[in-house]
Amino acid sequence: MEINILTFGQITDITGKTSFIYSDINNTDSLIKELTKAFPELTSIKYSVAVNQQLVHVNTVLNDKDIVALLPPFSGG
C-alpha cells in the first residue's frame, strides 16, 4: 500500500520535498507519528491534514493511493 504525501509552505521547507510516498501506513495517526520521527521539526508547528482533498480532524483510515496533504496555517483575507 502506498500513500502519496503532498507538502506546502513551511512544511516543504522542513521536509525538503513537495511530495513523497509512504508505504504500509494504515491511518493518519500512524502517518503523523512516522513523519515526526523523520522530521522532528514538525512537532514545533501546527498544521492540518487533508485526505483526498477533505480536511480530517480525527484519526482516519488510509487506503492504497490516497493523497494526504500537509497544510500549514493559512492567513490572509
Side-chain angles (χ1 to χ4, degrees):
M1 180 166 88
E2 292 185 343
I3 306 300
N4 298 302
I5 311 299
L6 304 177
T7 64
F8 298 91
Q10 68 190 111
I11 298 171
T12 300
D13 295 340
I14 291 170
T15 64
K17 307 172 190 180
T18 57
S19 66
F20 49 98
I21 294 175
Y22 263 81
S23 298
D24 302 319
I25 298 289
N26 299 322
N27 58 60
T28 53
D29 283 355
S30 296
L31 176 62
I32 291 168
K33 184 177 178 181
E34 289 300 314
L35 288 169
T36 54
K37 263 196 247 181
F39 308 103
E41 291 176 69
L42 288 176
T43 59
S44 65
I45 64 168
K46 291 187 180 212
Y47 58 92
S48 298
V49 176
V51 178
N52 299 323
Q53 299 182 351
Q54 297 293 315
L55 284 176
V56 298
H57 303 287
V58 296
N59 190 25
T60 301
V61 173
L62 298 172
N63 299 297
D64 190 36
K65 305 296 183 205
D66 276 352
I67 298 172
V68 176
L70 306 178
L71 307 166
F74 295 99
S75 62

